[in-house]
Amino acid sequence: MGRETKTKPIKNQDLGVKAKSARLSGVSIGLAVCGGIAAVETVKLARELRRHGAVLTPFLSPTATDFVGAAALEWACDKAPIQKPRPSVDHLEAFDLVLVAPATLNSLAKAAAAITDNVVLLLIASQFGRKAPVIFVPTMNEQLAHHPHFKDIKKRLESWGAIFTKPTEEEGRWKMPETQALVAQILETWK
């Protein structure tokens, strides 16, 4: 008779990241991805946040997948994205931080009006209701950034405790900063 052997499950090394610091060790982040071309940067952003110890749960607005694939974000976050409200009400989870990247004018305006017509907006509203941190990474065409109502939107969200990162302004657009610079802004905010 042969001996029974126990085999250890093999962890997929491709999903792992090499630690750079423990500054976000165990910090649960709801990564809210809105539908804009800057969404393509969120894969790199998620991986970099994980290198600092963050535990990410991705949420996708209905148009986010027009710009970034759910499979790519699942790989980057090591967790499947939430795309619709579910019976488990994931959007009501108590995250240490909600990071909205990219934050489009559409989503910012809806968040400021407490409109919750998708899972990303439900997540943001829930986080504000808990008086917990929300960081917005605004990305948009400068014409939209100069819309007269944008200042009011930003002021209202900041009055609720929201923090806005500084965008990179080039080619007539507000773009997401380079990944390293953006993570540095988040780490500075998260002291």
Side-chain angles (χ1 to χ4, degrees):
M1 292 264 206
R3 288 187 310 184
E4 285 186 36
T5 58
K6 293 184 180 179
T7 58
K8 289 183 182 179
I10 297 172
K11 174 90 170 128
N12 183 340
Q13 295 299 323
D14 191 48
L15 295 175
V17 294
K18 185 176 179 181
K20 288 186 174 180
S21 82
R23 297 211 26 218
L24 297 173
S25 183
V27 174
S28 64
I29 298 177
L31 177 60
V33 181
C34 300
I37 191 63
V40 301
E41 300 296 325
T42 57
V43 171
K44 290 189 284 187
L45 174 61
R47 298 285 290 181
E48 188 65 17
L49 289 168
R50 288 182 56 214
R51 289 182 184 108
H52 292 277
V55 178
L56 299 165
T57 301
F59 290 79
L60 301 176
S61 75
T63 57
T65 56
D66 291 345
F67 303 96
V68 64
L73 275 172
E74 181 172 352
W75 172 80
C77 296
D78 197 15
K79 192 177 285 185
I82 298 164
Q83 299 183 55
K84 294 179 182 179
R86 304 186 305 192
S88 57
V89 290
D90 310 272
H91 58 277
L92 296 179
E93 186 174 328
F95 290 100
D96 296 318
L97 167 68
V98 166
L99 176 62
V100 186
T104 61
L105 180 60
N106 181 58
S107 291
L108 291 166
K110 286 181 172 185
I115 295 171
T116 57
D117 63 359
N118 67 56
V119 73
V120 163
L121 294 169
L122 282 164
L123 172 67
I124 294 166
S126 174
Q127 192 76 350
F128 280 133
R130 236 187 325 284
K131 296 183 179 12
V134 178
I135 297 177
F136 289 103
V137 182
T139 64
M140 62 194 79
N141 186 289
E142 282 183 352
Q143 294 165 336
L144 297 177
H146 296 305
H147 186 283
H149 193 50
F150 178 70
K151 287 181 184 176
D152 297 331
I153 291 166
K154 185 175 184 232
K155 187 175 178 180
R156 172 176 275 185
L157 293 169
E158 287 175 331
S159 76
W160 296 343
I163 297 167
F164 282 75
T165 63
K166 183 172 175 31
T168 298
E169 296 182 43
E170 62 182 41
E171 298 176 335
R173 292 170 186 81
W174 282 13
K175 297 182 177 185
M176 277 182 40
E178 292 294 324
T179 303
Q180 304 289 343
L182 179 54
V183 170
Q185 286 185 55
I186 294 164
L187 290 172
E188 182 64 28
T189 302
W190 187 257
K191 285 185 175 180

